[in-house]
Amino acid sequence: TIEELLKRYEAGERNFAGIYLWYTDEVFNNVNLSEINLRGASFRDFGFYSLPGVILSRADLSDVFLDRQMLEGANFSGANLSNVCLSQSNLRNSNLSGCNLSGSDLYNTCFWGANLREANLTKANMESVWLDGVKLSNVNLTRAINVCLEGVIYDNTIMPDGSFRSS
């Protein structure tokens, strides 16, 4: 359970690779899990409103299934989110600066107000992603698929075709 994970984390453990966390109806606001290793973990049926404001800076969440999660205001700065499934998640006002999202499934994910500065979105599935008003500063979109970037502000952004764009 998430409660057990939090106790082990507080005791100094950081490697939880491959863990399966099942449904909870608890809400864990602003939980700090910086530098945790959750590579390959599963949060299926975890509960949509479980982790608003979670702090996962410099965490390894590669190959994690995190769809339909409420992660509004979360801090993923410097985190490895490569090949993660975040489809239909809410990341409004979240910090994803320096985050590796390469190969991730971001279908219908909301990033309104998010900080994506220096994020790597190479080969990410960006179908129906909500980016209105988001500034893509030094973001890499090389070979990202299904990209619709209406309402986005560009600043030295590498586009899917490899070209650079600034607004």
Side-chain angles (χ1 to χ4, degrees):
T1 65
I2 187 69
E3 295 88 352
E4 293 168 14
L5 180 143
L6 292 173
K7 286 178 189 173
R8 290 168 51 192
Y9 182 89
E10 288 174 14
E13 189 174 348
R14 295 296 181 267
N15 188 355
F16 298 90
I19 194 169
Y20 180 84
L21 295 172
W22 53 85
Y23 178 80
T24 180
D25 58 2
E26 294 291 320
V27 175
F28 297 94
N29 289 307
N30 304 309
V31 173
N32 188 346
L33 297 172
S34 295
E35 300 181 359
I36 194 169
N37 179 357
L38 290 167
R39 177 183 287 266
S42 180
F43 292 80
R44 291 180 190 246
D45 303 318
F46 192 63
F48 186 73
Y49 295 103
S50 302
L51 296 168
V54 66
I55 301 167
L56 289 159
S57 60
R58 298 173 313 281
D60 185 351
L61 289 110
S62 56
D63 302 306
V64 169
F65 193 91
L66 255 176
D67 74 327
R68 296 176 291 153
Q69 294 300 310
M70 172 62 81
L71 298 163
E72 187 167 346
N75 182 349
F76 290 100
S77 60
N80 181 2
L81 292 165
S82 60
N83 302 309
V84 71
C85 177
L86 280 166
S87 66
Q88 301 180 46
S89 291
N90 182 345
L91 289 155
R92 290 179 85 164
N93 302 313
S94 293
N95 182 356
L96 294 120
S97 61
C99 189
N100 180 3
L101 286 154
S102 61
S104 295
D105 182 2
L106 306 174
Y107 169 76
N108 203 29
T109 298
C110 179
F111 288 102
W112 290 343
N115 177 356
L116 287 163
R117 181 177 183 80
E118 299 179 357
N120 180 359
L121 291 157
T122 302
K123 297 183 182 176
N125 176 15
M126 298 184 65
E127 183 179 354
S128 302
V129 169
W130 300 71
L131 285 165
D132 294 349
V134 172
K135 183 175 183 178
L136 297 179
S137 182
N138 298 309
V139 170
N140 186 349
L141 293 166
T142 304
R143 297 191 342 225
I145 59 172
N146 301 314
V147 179
C148 178
L149 298 173
E150 292 181 29
V152 172
I153 303 164
Y154 302 99
D155 177 24
N156 201 34
T157 302
I158 302 173
M159 302 304 289
D161 65 1
S163 64
F164 282 84
R165 184 181 291 178
S166 290
S167 300

